[in-house]
């Protein structure tokens, strides 16, 4: 196996945000349970427990906020490439994906890949930044593999050959 790419330090940020997402999901589920049992009992709310449908709606919305963040990070972790290796004998690429809690591996034949191009990643607003990335698509897979531009390249020519796939 020939090492082509390693995400390096940006992978730590992705894993950290994944852990934050899990903590937010746990916190939102806990808060939604508290809301379900106590919504309306505070003196400022009237001191009377709200109807079941209203408590379900409010607590479900709060739980959904945190769970959506965690699900989004789980999907992103299944796309973010932590390590990319190439096996010339079998013409396959081994993707090690960041995952949410632990990495996963996937082997893909080179013929199944197509380049998705480079995405500039510049964003503005009150906080400006640059987070460029390359996309690689696999046949039958809707979401791309994401190769962060701030990662470490070990064989630029081999990676550029992938972009021409």
């Amino acid at each position: 196996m020939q090492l082509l790419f390693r995400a390096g330090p940006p992978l730590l940020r992705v894993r950290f945000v994944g852990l934050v997402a899990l903590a937010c999901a746990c916190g939102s589920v806990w808060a939604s349970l508290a809301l379900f049992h106590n919504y309306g009992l505070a003196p400022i709310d009237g001191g009377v427990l709200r109807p079941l449908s209203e408590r379900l709606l409010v607590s479900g919305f709060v739980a959904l906020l945190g769970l959506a963040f965690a699900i989004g990070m789980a999907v992103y972790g299944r796309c973010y490439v932590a390590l990319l290796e190439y096996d010339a004998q079998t013409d396959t690429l081994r993707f090690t994906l960041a995952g949410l809690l632990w990495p996963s591996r996937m082997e893909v034949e080179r013929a199944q890949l197509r380049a998705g191009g480079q995405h500039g990643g510049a964003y503005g607003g009150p906080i400006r930044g640059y987070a460029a990335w390359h996309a690689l698509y696999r046949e039958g897979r809707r979401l791309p593999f994401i190769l962060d531009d701030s990662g470490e390249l070990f064989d630029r020519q081999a990676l550029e050959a992938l972009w021409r796939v």
Side-chain angles (χ1 to χ4, degrees):
M1 282 285 179
Q2 175 189 4
L3 182 61
L4 299 179
F5 172 83
R6 181 172 51 210
L11 177 62
L12 296 175
R13 289 190 291 267
V14 170
R15 292 226 169 108
F16 176 73
V17 173
L19 291 175
V20 168
L22 285 176
C24 287
C26 292
S28 69
V29 168
W30 176 82
S32 72
L33 289 173
L35 273 171
F36 180 76
H37 291 295
N38 301 314
Y39 185 51
L41 290 179
I44 198 164
D45 292 335
V48 177
L49 195 60
R50 304 301 262 194
L52 178 63
S53 60
E54 195 173 330
R55 289 184 290 142
L56 278 172
L57 182 67
V58 171
S59 64
F61 179 73
V62 169
L64 192 61
L65 286 176
L67 291 172
F69 182 28
I71 290 168
M73 280 307 297
V75 170
Y76 184 71
R78 295 282 300 155
C79 295
Y80 192 87
V81 177
L83 200 64
L84 178 61
E85 299 167 302
Y86 177 66
D87 186 358
Q89 293 174 342
T90 59
D91 200 28
T92 59
L93 291 155
R94 180 187 298 161
F95 291 89
T96 302
L97 305 172
L100 186 59
L101 291 176
W102 51 84
S104 63
R105 284 200 171 147
M106 182 181 295
E107 290 196 8
V108 179
E109 292 179 16
R110 191 166 168 257
Q112 293 179 333
L113 291 174
R114 63 180 171 82
Q118 181 178 7
H119 301 271
Y123 56 92
I127 301 174
R128 299 189 186 276
Y130 179 76
W133 55 283
H134 281 85
L136 277 176
Y137 287 91
R138 177 186 179 189
E139 288 179 15
R141 180 181 160 114
R142 182 174 297 219
L143 296 173
F145 294 112
I146 297 170
L147 279 80
D148 196 335
D149 265 7
S150 56
E152 304 170 58
L153 299 177
F154 292 96
D155 190 345
R156 180 174 295 277
Q157 291 171 345
L159 273 174
E160 287 175 357
L162 284 177
W163 305 146
R164 291 188 297 266
V165 170

